[in-house]
Amino acid sequence: MRSSKIARKTKETDIELELCLDGGEIDIDSGIGFFDHMLTALAMHAGFGLKLRCKGDLEVDGHHTVEDVGIVLGKAFREAVGDAKGIARYGSFYIPMDEALGFCAVDVSARPFLVFDASFPEERIGDYDTCLTKEFFRAFAVNGGMTLHLRAEYGDNSHHIAEALFKACAHALRCACEIKGTETLSTKGVL
C-alpha cells in the first residue's frame, strides 16, 4: 500500500494525518466546515484514504490551519508516492459544478510549482476565506513535489468554483497516481 502517516505540531497547529493513495477511510476534522467538505471531496474523487485531525488557532483565522494542512498533506503525498516508479505521472481533468468549470493539470515530477488562476466573487464560504484556496494548493504542491496548474474557467458562485477546483485536482491526481508499469516515466530514468 502506498501510504504515509505524519504528525506535525507547531505553536499554530497540531495535525495528525494518514494518507493512502490506494483508498481507505475518509475522516476529516480541520475545524473549518467548508474546508472539511473540500478535503473530503478531494480524497473521495482521487480514490484516496484520508484521515485528518487538526487543531489550529482558529481564533486568529483559518490561514494557519489551511496552509499547514496543505504542508502536511503534501509531505504525506510525496512519501506515499515514493520513487514514483510505474505511475502515469501526468493527469488533467475538467470538472463542471453547476455554472462553474474548473480545470487541473498535474505532473508528479519532484519539481514543485503552482500556477493558480481563479478568482472568487465572495470572500467567504461559511468560516472559510476563499483566498486560502490558493494558499492550500501552494503548500500542497510545494511539499508534494508536484507541478500543479489550476484554473477556474468561469463561474459566479464561490462555493461552486472552489469545489470544481478541488474535484478537478482530485481526478487529475487519480490519473497521475495510477500504476501503468514498472519504470519511471522520465527520459532521465528518475524523478
Side-chain angles (χ1 to χ4, degrees):
M1 294 289 271
R2 300 174 297 163
S3 61
S4 176
K5 186 175 184 179
I6 295 182
R8 179 178 188 261
K9 187 172 185 174
T10 71
K11 291 180 180 179
E12 299 167 341
T13 59
D14 185 357
I15 299 171
E16 293 181 5
L17 185 144
E18 293 180 42
L19 174 68
C20 181
L21 302 183
D22 300 309
E25 183 182 353
I26 300 171
D27 183 18
I28 295 167
D29 183 7
S30 70
I32 304 171
F34 182 76
F35 188 45
D36 291 352
H37 178 47
M38 292 300 95
L39 292 173
T40 299
L42 178 70
M44 180 176 292
H45 286 266
F48 296 167
L50 180 61
K51 294 181 185 177
L52 167 73
R53 291 287 169 271
C54 177
K55 292 180 182 168
D57 57 356
L58 296 178
E59 70 281 0
V60 174
D61 69 7
H63 190 282
H64 300 141
T65 293
V66 172
E67 183 176 36
D68 288 6
V69 167
I71 290 169
V72 174
L73 182 59
K75 288 179 184 225
F77 178 83
R78 190 171 201 160
E79 187 174 291
V81 164
D83 63 10
K85 281 192 181 207
I87 66 167
R89 182 177 160 181
Y90 297 98
S92 62
F93 218 84
Y94 282 94
I95 289 287
M97 189 75 194
D98 296 345
E99 87 299 340
L101 183 66
F103 172 74
C104 178
V106 64
D107 176 8
V108 180
S109 60
R111 290 192 309 275
F113 200 87
L114 174 70
V115 175
F116 187 89
D117 182 10
S119 58
F120 299 92
E122 295 91 18
E123 292 181 9
R124 294 181 64 79
I125 306 167
D127 291 334
Y128 178 82
D129 294 316
T130 54
C131 66
L132 296 180
T133 308
K134 183 175 184 178
E135 298 305 318
F136 167 78
F137 282 115
R138 179 185 294 119
F140 180 53
V142 167
N143 290 277
M146 67 187 83
T147 299
L148 186 62
H149 290 242
L150 288 149
R151 184 175 65 234
E153 298 290 339
Y154 44 79
D156 53 39
N157 179 294
S158 292
H159 184 131
H160 297 159
I161 294 167
E163 192 161 349
L165 292 173
F166 272 87
K167 287 179 177 177
C169 181
H171 282 275
L173 286 170
R174 180 187 282 253
C175 295
C177 291
E178 184 180 357
I179 300 294
K180 292 287 197 177
T182 58
E183 300 298 316
T184 302
L185 189 58
S186 170
T187 55
K188 298 178 183 88
V190 297
L191 294 178

